[in-house]
Amino acid sequence: EDQVTQSPEALRLQEGESSSLNCSYTVSGLRGLFWYRQDPGKGPEFLFTLYSAGEEKEKERLKATLTKKESFLHITAPKPEDSATYLCAVRSYGNNRLAFGKGNQVVVIP
Amino acid sequence: NAGVTQTPKFQVLKTGQSMTLQCAQDMNHNSMYWYRQDPGMGLRLIYYSASEGTTDKGEVPNGYNVSRLNKREFSLRLESAAPSQTSVYFCAGGTGEYSPLHFGNGTRLTVT
């Protein structure tokens, strides 16, 4: 069974204070790891897909990295608009579904 | 381009009542999914449809049924609602085995 654990559950940052979110996973064979952003009252919004260890993707202040056991979402010099819950999900070979972690709730204080 | 559209946005039911949650997509997704999201539990898969005409159970299927009406539409039915089904329900669609899922904005259901 695919498993995803995200830490920390909640994080408060000062504006400009960089930090990282962790997503540890266990799968029988990784087909893809996905990061989403979710704002209150909205559905998850797709950010990145990572397929193999060593891969990195960037978008504005966000950078996602992948190893064989975990992924990190680095937030560089965050702004208040980066406040959201960030969700990590994995898909394994032979599996149509995504298994999600419980999320990292990030609050950026001006 | 609407993406994934869910109706209704909000619903209150009494225990034992039935209802159908509707989902439609215009992104040509082959696969469609129903998840529920509860505080502290994350997103859990209820049912999914890998292609038109097929449906499969996810982690938490008890108390629910689904219909893949055509390629665009995937509905979720609660035959006899229970307070434990109070949740936010999300529909999602996907195109291929390496592609992400794209979500609607959810239906917030309260069962009293």
Side-chain angles (χ1 to χ4, degrees):
Chain A
E1 183 182 331
D2 301 340
Q3 291 194 340
V4 179
T5 303
Q6 294 186 243
S7 62
E9 287 185 20
L11 190 61
R12 288 172 65 91
L13 298 171
Q14 289 294 132
E15 185 171 0
E17 178 189 1
S18 300
S19 189
S20 296
L21 311 177
N22 178 265
C23 170
S24 297
Y25 64 91
T26 305
V27 295
S28 54
L30 183 68
R31 179 166 284 177
L33 184 142
F34 304 85
W35 280 100
Y36 288 82
R37 170 192 171 121
Q38 187 175 22
D39 294 303
K42 300 286 187 182
E45 176 188 349
F46 170 67
L47 292 172
F48 304 110
T49 309
L50 301 166
Y51 295 108
S52 57
E55 191 173 359
E56 298 182 350
K57 293 272 179 77
E58 279 189 77
K59 180 180 180 179
E60 296 181 357
R61 294 175 294 282
L62 300 178
K63 179 179 177 180
T65 62
L66 182 65
T67 73
K68 288 187 177 180
K69 293 183 179 179
E70 58 193 350
S71 177
F72 292 93
L73 186 66
H74 307 279
I75 311 177
T76 302
K79 298 182 177 182
E81 53 262 43
D82 296 320
S83 297
T85 296
Y86 292 88
L87 302 173
C88 176
V90 296
R91 181 186 280 134
S92 56
Y93 279 103
N95 200 338
N96 259 317
R97 332 164 189 188
L98 291 190
F100 281 84
K102 294 179 182 179
N104 307 102
Q105 185 178 27
V106 175
V107 175
V108 182
I109 304 158
Chain B
N1 200 355
V4 179
T5 303
Q6 294 183 237
T7 54
K9 289 185 169 53
F10 301 93
Q11 184 72 48
V12 179
L13 291 178
K14 296 189 178 193
T15 297
Q17 287 185 318
S18 62
M19 79 161 295
T20 300
L21 283 64
Q22 307 285 357
C23 174
Q25 53 94 2
D26 61 4
M27 302 176 75
N28 203 32
H29 291 144
N30 294 320
S31 305
M32 296 185 74
Y33 305 77
W34 278 105
Y35 284 86
R36 61 178 287 175
Q37 187 174 43
D38 303 290
M41 300 294 293
L43 281 159
R44 292 181 293 168
L45 183 65
I46 305 171
Y47 269 94
Y48 69 101
S49 170
S51 60
E52 191 178 348
T54 68
T55 60
D56 283 288
K57 295 178 181 179
E59 295 174 70
V60 289
N62 291 344
Y64 305 95
N65 283 301
V66 291
S67 296
R68 182 77 182 265
L69 303 170
N70 47 56
K71 186 170 184 178
R72 289 187 63 247
E73 297 171 287
F74 189 39
S75 62
L76 178 72
R77 182 158 178 86
L78 287 70
E79 290 292 351
S80 178
S84 60
Q85 294 177 306
T86 293
S87 188
V88 182
Y89 291 85
F90 288 100
C91 177
T95 304
E97 59 190 67
Y98 294 98
S99 70
L101 299 187
H102 297 276
F103 285 82
N105 278 326
T107 293
R108 283 142 190 85
L109 176 67
T110 302
V111 183
T112 61

